[in-house]
Amino acid sequence: MNTIIYNKIKTDEPLDREDIKYILGSSNTKDLFDIAYEIKSKFVKQKVYFRGIVEFSNYCKKDCYYCGIRKGNSGTKRFQMMSEEIIETADWAYKNKYGSIVLQSGEREDKTFIDFIEHTILGIKEISNGELGITLSLGEQDYEVYKKWFFAGAHRYLLRIETSNKDLYSKIHPPDHSFDKRIGCIKSLQEIGYQVGTGVMIGLPNQTIDDLVNDLFFFKDIDIDMIGMGPYLNSENTPMSNDSVQPLWNNEEVYVLSLKMIALARILLKDINIASTTALQALKPFGREMGLKAGANIIMPNITPVEYREDYQLYDDKPCIDEEKELCLGCLDSRISGVDEVIGYGEWGDSPHFINR
Ligand code: SAH
Ligand code: SF4
Protein backbone atom coordinates (compact mmCIF):
# COMPACT_ATOMS: atom_id res chain seq x y z
CA MET A 1 0.00 0.00 0.00
CA ASN A 2 1.08 3.57 -0.64
CA THR A 3 3.17 4.55 2.43
CA ILE A 4 1.53 7.95 2.89
CA ILE A 5 -1.91 6.33 3.13
CA TYR A 6 -0.56 3.49 5.29
CA ASN A 7 0.91 6.02 7.74
CA LYS A 8 -2.33 7.99 7.76
CA ILE A 9 -4.23 4.87 8.84
CA LYS A 10 -1.58 3.97 11.41
CA THR A 11 -1.68 7.45 12.98
CA ASP A 12 -5.49 7.61 12.75
CA GLU A 13 -5.49 10.56 10.38
CA PRO A 14 -8.77 10.73 8.40
CA LEU A 15 -8.63 9.26 4.89
CA ASP A 16 -9.94 11.48 2.12
CA ARG A 17 -11.83 10.50 -1.04
CA GLU A 18 -8.69 10.16 -3.11
CA ASP A 19 -7.05 7.84 -0.56
CA ILE A 20 -10.09 5.57 -0.58
CA LYS A 21 -10.30 5.59 -4.35
CA TYR A 22 -6.63 4.67 -4.52
CA ILE A 23 -7.16 1.73 -2.13
CA LEU A 24 -10.19 0.46 -4.04
CA GLY A 25 -8.15 0.50 -7.23
CA SER A 26 -4.95 -0.96 -5.78
CA SER A 27 -4.00 -4.61 -6.22
CA ASN A 28 -2.15 -4.87 -2.89
CA THR A 29 -4.83 -6.25 -0.60
CA LYS A 30 -2.61 -7.89 2.00
CA ASP A 31 -1.51 -4.69 3.78
CA LEU A 32 -5.08 -3.40 3.69
CA PHE A 33 -6.60 -6.54 5.19
CA ASP A 34 -3.85 -6.80 7.81
CA ILE A 35 -4.32 -3.25 9.03
CA ALA A 36 -8.12 -3.59 9.03
CA TYR A 37 -7.75 -6.79 11.06
CA GLU A 38 -5.51 -4.98 13.53
CA ILE A 39 -8.18 -2.28 13.99
CA LYS A 40 -10.86 -4.94 14.32
CA SER A 41 -8.85 -6.76 17.02
CA LYS A 42 -8.42 -3.51 18.93
CA PHE A 43 -12.03 -2.30 18.79
CA VAL A 44 -14.19 -5.45 18.66
CA LYS A 45 -11.68 -8.26 19.43
CA GLN A 46 -11.02 -11.43 17.41
CA LYS A 47 -14.47 -12.66 18.19
CA VAL A 48 -17.31 -13.63 15.85
CA TYR A 49 -20.96 -13.40 16.83
CA PHE A 50 -23.63 -15.54 15.24
CA ARG A 51 -27.01 -14.20 14.22
CA GLY A 52 -29.09 -17.17 13.14
CA ILE A 53 -31.23 -15.93 10.26
CA VAL A 54 -34.78 -17.17 9.79
CA GLU A 55 -36.08 -16.28 6.33
CA PHE A 56 -39.65 -16.93 7.27
CA SER A 57 -41.67 -15.66 4.30
CA ASN A 58 -41.16 -14.68 0.68
CA TYR A 59 -44.41 -12.74 0.23
CA CYS A 60 -43.40 -9.25 -0.86
CA LYS A 61 -45.34 -6.21 -2.02
CA LYS A 62 -42.29 -4.64 -3.63
CA ASP A 63 -40.71 -5.13 -6.99
CA CYS A 64 -37.00 -4.37 -6.66
CA TYR A 65 -35.50 -5.09 -10.08
CA TYR A 66 -32.67 -7.30 -8.72
CA CYS A 67 -34.49 -9.60 -6.32
CA GLY A 68 -35.67 -13.16 -6.90
CA ILE A 69 -38.69 -12.89 -4.59
CA ARG A 70 -40.02 -9.58 -5.98
CA LYS A 71 -43.78 -9.37 -6.31
CA GLY A 72 -43.66 -9.58 -10.11
CA ASN A 73 -41.77 -12.87 -10.07
CA SER A 74 -44.63 -15.22 -10.82
CA GLY A 75 -42.30 -18.24 -10.94
CA THR A 76 -41.64 -18.01 -7.19
CA LYS A 77 -43.68 -20.37 -5.03
CA ARG A 78 -44.81 -18.30 -2.05
CA PHE A 79 -44.58 -19.53 1.56
CA GLN A 80 -45.02 -18.19 5.07
CA MET A 81 -43.89 -20.02 8.19
CA MET A 82 -46.31 -20.16 11.12
CA SER A 83 -45.48 -18.16 14.21
CA GLU A 84 -45.03 -21.36 16.29
CA GLU A 85 -42.58 -22.70 13.74
CA ILE A 86 -40.50 -19.52 13.87
CA ILE A 87 -40.52 -19.63 17.67
CA GLU A 88 -39.43 -23.28 17.57
CA THR A 89 -36.55 -22.38 15.25
CA ALA A 90 -35.60 -19.54 17.60
CA ASP A 91 -35.68 -22.01 20.48
CA TRP A 92 -33.19 -24.21 18.63
CA ALA A 93 -30.92 -21.16 18.21
CA TYR A 94 -31.26 -20.32 21.90
CA LYS A 95 -30.47 -23.87 23.01
CA ASN A 96 -27.44 -23.92 20.71
CA LYS A 97 -26.15 -20.71 22.29
CA TYR A 98 -26.64 -18.38 19.36
CA GLY A 99 -26.76 -14.96 21.04
CA SER A 100 -29.32 -13.57 18.63
CA ILE A 101 -31.49 -14.27 15.64
CA VAL A 102 -32.55 -12.26 12.61
CA LEU A 103 -36.10 -12.43 11.30
CA GLN A 104 -36.15 -11.61 7.60
CA SER A 105 -38.86 -11.66 4.95
CA GLY A 106 -40.28 -9.85 1.97
CA GLU A 107 -42.02 -6.59 2.76
CA ARG A 108 -45.62 -6.42 3.94
CA GLU A 109 -47.39 -3.58 5.74
CA ASP A 110 -50.84 -5.06 6.43
CA LYS A 111 -52.23 -5.30 9.95
CA THR A 112 -52.22 -9.11 9.97
CA PHE A 113 -48.47 -9.07 9.28
CA ILE A 114 -47.75 -6.36 11.86
CA ASP A 115 -49.61 -8.30 14.57
CA PHE A 116 -48.03 -11.57 13.46
CA ILE A 117 -44.55 -10.12 13.95
CA GLU A 118 -45.42 -8.63 17.33
CA HIS A 119 -46.84 -11.96 18.49
CA THR A 120 -43.76 -13.81 17.23
CA ILE A 121 -41.31 -11.43 18.94
CA LEU A 122 -43.20 -11.78 22.24
CA GLY A 123 -43.17 -15.58 21.84
CA ILE A 124 -39.42 -15.69 21.23
CA LYS A 125 -38.73 -13.46 24.22
CA GLU A 126 -40.86 -15.73 26.37
CA ILE A 127 -39.19 -19.03 25.44
CA SER A 128 -35.71 -17.55 25.87
CA ASN A 129 -36.37 -15.69 29.15
CA GLY A 130 -35.67 -12.50 27.26
CA GLU A 131 -32.15 -13.69 26.54
CA LEU A 132 -32.19 -14.22 22.78
CA GLY A 133 -31.48 -10.97 20.93
CA ILE A 134 -33.84 -10.20 18.04
CA THR A 135 -32.88 -8.34 14.88
CA LEU A 136 -35.53 -7.54 12.29
CA SER A 137 -35.04 -7.18 8.54
CA LEU A 138 -38.58 -6.50 7.35
CA GLY A 139 -38.18 -3.48 5.11
CA GLU A 140 -39.87 -0.10 5.22
CA GLN A 141 -42.60 0.37 7.80
CA ASP A 142 -44.41 3.23 9.53
CA TYR A 143 -42.82 4.83 12.58
CA GLU A 144 -45.52 3.44 14.86
CA VAL A 145 -44.96 -0.08 13.56
CA TYR A 146 -41.21 0.10 14.19
CA LYS A 147 -42.05 1.34 17.69
CA LYS A 148 -44.53 -1.46 18.34
CA TRP A 149 -41.96 -4.12 17.41
CA PHE A 150 -39.26 -2.36 19.45
CA PHE A 151 -41.47 -2.40 22.54
CA ALA A 152 -42.29 -6.06 21.91
CA GLY A 153 -38.56 -6.80 22.28
CA ALA A 154 -36.71 -6.44 18.96
CA HIS A 155 -33.60 -4.33 19.44
CA ARG A 156 -31.77 -4.26 16.12
CA TYR A 157 -32.95 -3.57 12.58
CA LEU A 158 -31.29 -4.08 9.21
CA LEU A 159 -32.34 -1.88 6.32
CA ARG A 160 -29.89 -1.60 3.48
CA ILE A 161 -29.84 1.59 1.47
CA GLU A 162 -28.69 -0.67 -1.43
CA THR A 163 -26.71 2.26 -2.96
CA SER A 164 -26.18 5.77 -1.64
CA ASN A 165 -26.43 7.14 -5.20
CA LYS A 166 -30.02 8.36 -5.57
CA ASP A 167 -29.94 8.17 -9.39
CA LEU A 168 -28.62 4.63 -9.33
CA TYR A 169 -31.24 3.74 -6.68
CA SER A 170 -33.94 4.89 -9.07
CA LYS A 171 -32.48 2.73 -11.86
CA ILE A 172 -32.66 -0.47 -9.80
CA HIS A 173 -36.16 0.11 -8.40
CA PRO A 174 -39.58 0.88 -9.89
CA PRO A 175 -40.68 4.55 -9.74
CA ASP A 176 -42.86 4.08 -6.65
CA HIS A 177 -39.89 2.94 -4.50
CA SER A 178 -38.40 5.97 -2.77
CA PHE A 179 -34.78 6.58 -1.77
CA ASP A 180 -35.80 9.43 0.56
CA LYS A 181 -38.38 7.25 2.27
CA ARG A 182 -35.72 4.62 2.91
CA ILE A 183 -33.40 7.22 4.47
CA GLY A 184 -36.35 8.45 6.57
CA CYS A 185 -36.91 4.86 7.80
CA ILE A 186 -33.25 4.50 8.84
CA LYS A 187 -33.51 7.75 10.80
CA SER A 188 -36.80 6.69 12.45
CA LEU A 189 -35.23 3.42 13.56
CA GLN A 190 -32.30 5.30 15.11
CA GLU A 191 -34.64 7.71 16.87
CA ILE A 192 -36.71 4.89 18.36
CA GLY A 193 -33.58 3.34 19.84
CA TYR A 194 -32.80 0.37 17.62
CA GLN A 195 -29.23 -0.54 16.77
CA VAL A 196 -29.39 0.08 13.07
CA GLY A 197 -27.60 -1.67 10.26
CA THR A 198 -27.45 -0.70 6.63
CA GLY A 199 -25.44 -1.69 3.60
CA VAL A 200 -25.11 -1.71 -0.15
CA MET A 201 -24.77 -4.14 -3.02
CA ILE A 202 -21.42 -4.11 -4.76
CA GLY A 203 -21.06 -4.61 -8.50
CA LEU A 204 -24.44 -3.27 -9.65
CA PRO A 205 -24.79 -2.32 -13.31
CA ASN A 206 -23.97 1.42 -13.68
CA GLN A 207 -22.18 1.52 -10.29
CA THR A 208 -18.75 3.17 -10.23
CA ILE A 209 -15.82 3.32 -7.81
CA ASP A 210 -16.94 6.84 -6.88
CA ASP A 211 -20.29 5.40 -5.81
CA LEU A 212 -18.53 2.93 -3.50
CA VAL A 213 -16.45 5.74 -1.98
CA ASN A 214 -19.67 7.69 -1.37
CA ASP A 215 -21.28 4.59 0.18
CA LEU A 216 -18.52 4.47 2.80
CA PHE A 217 -18.94 8.17 3.62
CA PHE A 218 -22.71 7.64 3.74
CA PHE A 219 -22.26 4.96 6.46
CA LYS A 220 -20.12 7.38 8.45
CA ASP A 221 -22.36 10.41 8.01
CA ILE A 222 -25.53 8.59 9.01
CA ASP A 223 -23.67 7.18 12.03
CA ILE A 224 -24.63 3.57 11.54
CA ASP A 225 -24.05 0.80 14.16
CA MET A 226 -23.87 -2.19 11.83
CA ILE A 227 -23.09 -2.91 8.20
CA GLY A 228 -24.13 -5.83 6.04
CA MET A 229 -22.96 -5.46 2.46
CA GLY A 230 -21.94 -7.83 -0.25
CA PRO A 231 -21.82 -8.53 -3.94
CA TYR A 232 -24.80 -8.02 -6.19
CA LEU A 233 -25.54 -11.43 -7.67
CA ASN A 234 -27.58 -12.20 -10.71
CA SER A 235 -31.10 -13.50 -10.18
CA GLU A 236 -32.62 -15.11 -13.22
CA ASN A 237 -36.07 -13.89 -14.25
CA THR A 238 -35.57 -10.42 -12.81
CA PRO A 239 -35.50 -7.26 -14.93
CA MET A 240 -31.87 -6.64 -13.96
CA SER A 241 -30.80 -10.06 -15.14
CA ASN A 242 -31.66 -8.91 -18.65
CA ASP A 243 -30.17 -5.43 -18.27
CA SER A 244 -28.24 -4.40 -21.36
CA VAL A 245 -25.75 -2.54 -19.13
CA GLN A 246 -23.16 -4.91 -17.72
CA PRO A 247 -21.48 -4.22 -14.35
CA LEU A 248 -18.00 -2.71 -14.64
CA TRP A 249 -16.40 -5.63 -12.82
CA ASN A 250 -16.39 -9.42 -13.23
CA ASN A 251 -17.18 -11.80 -10.34
CA GLU A 252 -13.57 -12.10 -9.20
CA GLU A 253 -13.21 -8.30 -9.12
CA VAL A 254 -16.50 -7.89 -7.27
CA TYR A 255 -15.37 -10.43 -4.69
CA VAL A 256 -12.13 -8.52 -4.01
CA LEU A 257 -13.95 -5.17 -4.02
CA SER A 258 -16.43 -6.50 -1.46
CA LEU A 259 -13.59 -7.54 0.85
CA LYS A 260 -11.93 -4.15 0.40
CA MET A 261 -15.20 -2.40 1.26
CA ILE A 262 -15.35 -4.42 4.50
CA ALA A 263 -11.75 -3.48 5.32
CA LEU A 264 -12.35 0.20 4.58
CA ALA A 265 -15.57 0.25 6.60
CA ARG A 266 -13.60 -1.19 9.54
CA ILE A 267 -10.83 1.42 9.11
CA LEU A 268 -13.27 4.34 8.82
CA LEU A 269 -15.90 3.34 11.38
CA LYS A 270 -13.83 1.19 13.77
CA ASP A 271 -16.18 0.03 16.56
CA ILE A 272 -19.22 -1.02 14.51
CA ASN A 273 -20.40 -4.56 13.79
CA ILE A 274 -19.76 -5.72 10.22
CA ALA A 275 -21.31 -8.85 8.76
CA SER A 276 -19.52 -11.20 6.43
CA THR A 277 -22.47 -12.05 4.22
CA THR A 278 -23.65 -15.26 2.60
CA ALA A 279 -23.44 -13.52 -0.79
CA LEU A 280 -19.63 -13.51 -0.35
CA GLN A 281 -19.75 -17.26 0.15
CA ALA A 282 -21.83 -17.54 -3.01
CA LEU A 283 -18.88 -16.13 -4.97
CA LYS A 284 -16.12 -18.08 -3.16
CA PRO A 285 -16.54 -21.15 -0.94
CA PHE A 286 -14.42 -19.50 1.80
CA GLY A 287 -15.61 -15.96 1.09
CA ARG A 288 -17.19 -15.51 4.50
CA GLU A 289 -14.03 -16.54 6.35
CA MET A 290 -12.06 -14.10 4.18
CA GLY A 291 -14.56 -11.41 5.20
CA LEU A 292 -13.60 -12.05 8.84
CA LYS A 293 -9.93 -11.68 7.90
CA ALA A 294 -10.72 -8.38 6.18
CA GLY A 295 -12.39 -6.88 9.26
CA ALA A 296 -15.91 -8.33 9.61
CA ASN A 297 -17.04 -9.77 12.98
CA ILE A 298 -20.56 -11.11 12.40
CA ILE A 299 -21.80 -14.22 10.60
CA MET A 300 -25.43 -14.93 9.90
CA PRO A 301 -25.87 -18.71 9.61
CA ASN A 302 -29.07 -19.69 7.87
CA ILE A 303 -31.30 -21.56 10.34
CA THR A 304 -34.45 -21.55 8.20
CA PRO A 305 -36.01 -25.05 8.01
CA VAL A 306 -34.63 -26.68 4.85
CA GLU A 307 -38.06 -27.20 3.26
CA TYR A 308 -38.42 -23.41 2.74
CA ARG A 309 -34.92 -22.51 1.62
CA GLU A 310 -35.37 -23.26 -2.04
CA ASP A 311 -38.15 -20.67 -2.23
CA TYR A 312 -36.16 -17.90 -0.54
CA GLN A 313 -33.64 -17.27 -3.27
CA LEU A 314 -32.93 -13.56 -3.55
CA TYR A 315 -30.20 -14.46 -6.05
CA ASP A 316 -29.11 -17.57 -7.98
CA ASP A 317 -26.90 -20.32 -6.52
CA LYS A 318 -27.42 -19.35 -2.89
CA PRO A 319 -25.15 -21.60 -0.75
CA CYS A 320 -26.35 -24.13 1.87
CA ILE A 321 -29.93 -24.39 0.63
CA ASP A 322 -30.02 -28.10 1.38
CA GLU A 323 -27.99 -28.14 4.59
CA GLU A 324 -29.76 -28.72 7.91
CA LYS A 325 -28.98 -26.14 10.58
CA GLU A 326 -27.34 -28.77 12.80
CA LEU A 327 -24.81 -29.50 10.04
CA CYS A 328 -24.27 -25.80 9.41
CA LEU A 329 -23.32 -25.32 13.05
CA GLY A 330 -20.62 -28.01 13.02
CA CYS A 331 -19.27 -26.79 9.73
CA LEU A 332 -19.15 -23.17 10.88
CA ASP A 333 -17.46 -24.00 14.13
CA SER A 334 -14.53 -25.65 12.39
CA ARG A 335 -14.39 -23.01 9.65
CA ILE A 336 -14.12 -20.25 12.23
CA SER A 337 -11.53 -21.87 14.45
CA GLY A 338 -9.65 -22.44 11.17
CA VAL A 339 -9.18 -18.69 10.85
CA ASP A 340 -8.15 -18.30 14.53
CA GLU A 341 -11.28 -16.55 15.73
CA VAL A 342 -13.41 -17.30 18.77
CA ILE A 343 -17.20 -17.61 18.60
CA GLY A 344 -19.07 -15.47 21.13
CA TYR A 345 -21.53 -18.23 22.09
CA GLY A 346 -24.58 -17.07 24.02
CA GLU A 347 -23.63 -13.38 23.80
CA TRP A 348 -25.62 -10.62 22.12
CA GLY A 349 -22.44 -9.04 20.81
CA ASP A 350 -23.93 -5.57 20.52
CA SER A 351 -22.10 -3.02 18.45
CA PRO A 352 -19.74 -1.13 20.80
CA HIS A 353 -20.48 1.88 18.61
CA PHE A 354 -24.11 1.81 19.74
CA ILE A 355 -23.10 1.49 23.37
CA ASN A 356 -20.64 4.38 23.04
CA ARG A 357 -23.06 6.55 21.05
N1 SAH B 1 -37.41 -7.21 2.16
C1 SAH B 1 -36.42 -6.74 3.05
C2 SAH B 1 -35.47 -7.85 3.52
C3 SAH B 1 -35.19 -8.96 2.54
S1 SAH B 1 -34.17 -8.52 1.18
C4 SAH B 1 -35.62 -5.62 2.43
O1 SAH B 1 -35.61 -5.49 1.22
O2 SAH B 1 -35.01 -4.86 3.19
C5 SAH B 1 -32.61 -8.36 1.99
C6 SAH B 1 -31.49 -7.86 1.12
O3 SAH B 1 -31.19 -8.80 0.11
C7 SAH B 1 -31.77 -6.58 0.34
O4 SAH B 1 -31.57 -5.45 1.14
C8 SAH B 1 -30.76 -6.68 -0.80
O5 SAH B 1 -29.59 -5.92 -0.53
C9 SAH B 1 -30.38 -8.16 -0.83
N2 SAH B 1 -30.59 -8.71 -2.20
C10 SAH B 1 -31.73 -8.86 -2.86
N3 SAH B 1 -31.49 -9.32 -4.11
C11 SAH B 1 -30.15 -9.45 -4.23
C12 SAH B 1 -29.27 -9.86 -5.29
N4 SAH B 1 -29.74 -10.21 -6.47
N5 SAH B 1 -27.94 -9.87 -5.02
C13 SAH B 1 -27.46 -9.54 -3.82
N6 SAH B 1 -28.23 -9.13 -2.80
C14 SAH B 1 -29.56 -9.09 -2.99
FE1 SF4 C 1 -38.96 -7.47 -1.53
FE2 SF4 C 1 -36.70 -6.96 -0.11
FE3 SF4 C 1 -36.64 -8.37 -2.43
FE4 SF4 C 1 -37.14 -5.75 -2.52
S1 SF4 C 1 -35.24 -6.72 -1.81
S2 SF4 C 1 -38.25 -7.33 -3.65
S3 SF4 C 1 -38.35 -5.48 -0.64
S4 SF4 C 1 -37.62 -8.94 -0.53
Side-chain angles (χ1 to χ4, degrees):
M1 192 194 293
N2 170 315
T3 34
I4 298 173
I5 301 179
Y6 189 81
N7 288 335
K8 265 188 169 180
I9 301 174
K10 275 285 190 194
T11 54
D12 205 16
E13 222 184 293
L15 297 181
D16 60 31
R17 297 187 56 85
E18 289 312 311
D19 300 330
I20 293 177
K21 240 179 128 161
Y22 176 86
I23 293 173
L24 286 173
S26 150
S27 56
N28 178 353
T29 50
K30 180 160 188 325
D31 287 349
L32 174 69
F33 297 162
D34 285 353
I35 200 163
Y37 195 79
E38 215 175 276
I39 293 174
K40 163 184 159 171
S41 308
K42 184 165 162 208
F43 285 88
V44 295
K45 315 258 180 313
Q46 280 162 258
K47 210 166 188 181
V48 190
Y49 298 101
F50 281 175
R51 320 279 189 234
I53 182 162
V54 193
E55 298 163 336
F56 65 88
S57 165
N58 64 1
Y59 284 97
C60 188
K61 62 186 252 299
K62 288 189 132 185
D63 239 343
C64 309
Y65 291 153
Y66 42 85
C67 178
I69 65 167
R70 61 196 294 272
K71 178 179 69 178
N73 212 346
S74 54
T76 302
K77 191 173 112 218
R78 303 288 160 173
F79 75 92
Q80 157 107 34
M81 283 170 69
M82 312 264 283
S83 193
E84 291 64 36
E85 219 178 347
I86 302 175
I87 297 170
E88 234 171 70
T89 310
D91 190 45
W92 179 90
Y94 176 58
K95 294 204 169 107
N96 281 280
K97 299 205 167 8
Y98 281 52
S100 337
I101 54 158
V102 181
L103 301 182
Q104 190 182 81
S105 73
E107 196 173 302
R108 274 177 61 187
E109 286 179 304
D110 53 284
K111 186 168 182 314
T112 313
F113 182 74
I114 294 165
D115 293 346
F116 170 87
I117 297 298
E118 186 184 30
H119 172 80
T120 308
I121 295 170
L122 291 170
I124 295 172
K125 283 286 161 190
E126 197 181 319
I127 56 101
S128 68
N129 305 313
E131 286 174 21
L132 195 63
I134 302 176
T135 306
L136 302 178
S137 174
L138 308 173
E140 294 165 27
Q141 304 287 341
D142 286 344
Y143 192 89
E144 290 307 315
V145 175
Y146 284 147
K147 225 163 130 179
K148 191 191 260 269
W149 293 342
F150 183 73
F151 286 116
H155 81 295
R156 303 189 190 110
Y157 205 103
L158 304 174
L159 188 67
R160 286 183 172 181
I161 190 66
E162 315 299 0
T163 169
S164 64
N165 176 338
K166 195 170 172 176
D167 287 338
L168 180 55
Y169 187 93
S170 71
K171 286 196 175 89
I172 62 173
H173 295 100
D176 62 343
H177 293 29
S178 158
F179 179 84
D180 292 335
K181 183 171 176 215
R182 211 153 173 97
I183 302 259
C185 284
I186 294 175
K187 293 197 168 148
S188 298
L189 290 161
Q190 287 176 318
E191 198 179 298
I192 292 166
Y194 281 96
Q195 292 177 41
V196 184
T198 194
V200 293
M201 285 180 284
I202 298 157
L204 292 161
N206 293 301
Q207 192 177 41
T208 64
I209 287 286
D210 279 305
D211 290 328
L212 298 179
V213 177
N214 290 334
D215 290 341
L216 290 163
F217 283 113
F218 170 83
F219 299 149
K220 200 160 167 60
D221 290 346
I222 203 162
D223 199 16
I224 215 71
D225 305 304
M226 319 182 282
I227 293 179
M229 59 186 165
Y232 157 67
L233 298 164
N234 186 60
S235 176
E236 219 188 314
N237 302 324
T238 57
M240 251 162 73
S241 176
N242 304 311
D243 203 315
S244 54
V245 181
Q246 288 304 306
L248 276 179
W249 311 288
N250 63 30
N251 274 355
E252 180 63 33
E253 289 164 331
V254 168
Y255 169 71
V256 177
L257 268 178
S258 301
L259 294 175
K260 283 186 186 173
M261 286 291 281
I262 290 178
L264 283 164
R266 177 59 69 202
I267 291 167
L268 291 177
L269 287 97
K270 302 198 170 33
D271 58 354
I272 58 163
N273 278 345
I274 305 178
S276 194
T277 56
T278 312
L280 265 177
Q281 193 190 348
L283 281 186
K284 287 270 163 147
F286 279 86
R288 274 195 311 189
E289 289 73 10
M290 281 310 297
L292 298 177
K293 283 290 177 202
N297 66 327
I298 303 288
I299 284 202
M300 293 158 68
N302 191 350
I303 59 169
T304 313
V306 170
E307 61 196 285
Y308 303 115
R309 291 194 192 181
E310 201 180 328
D311 297 317
Y312 198 89
Q313 298 231 43
L314 307 178
Y315 46 81
D316 302 339
D317 304 323
K318 198 170 160 201
C320 298
I321 62 161
D322 54 1
E323 194 164 277
E324 283 292 355
K325 52 190 181 312
E326 289 76 7
L327 283 175
C328 270
L329 188 61
C331 146
L332 266 169
D333 214 313
S334 57
R335 277 166 167 241
I336 285 163
S337 32
V339 284
D340 298 327
E341 300 251 324
V342 181
I343 301 168
Y345 279 118
E347 298 175 52
W348 277 16
D350 282 338
S351 145
H353 184 78
F354 177 80
I355 298 159
N356 301 334
R357 180 147 72 81

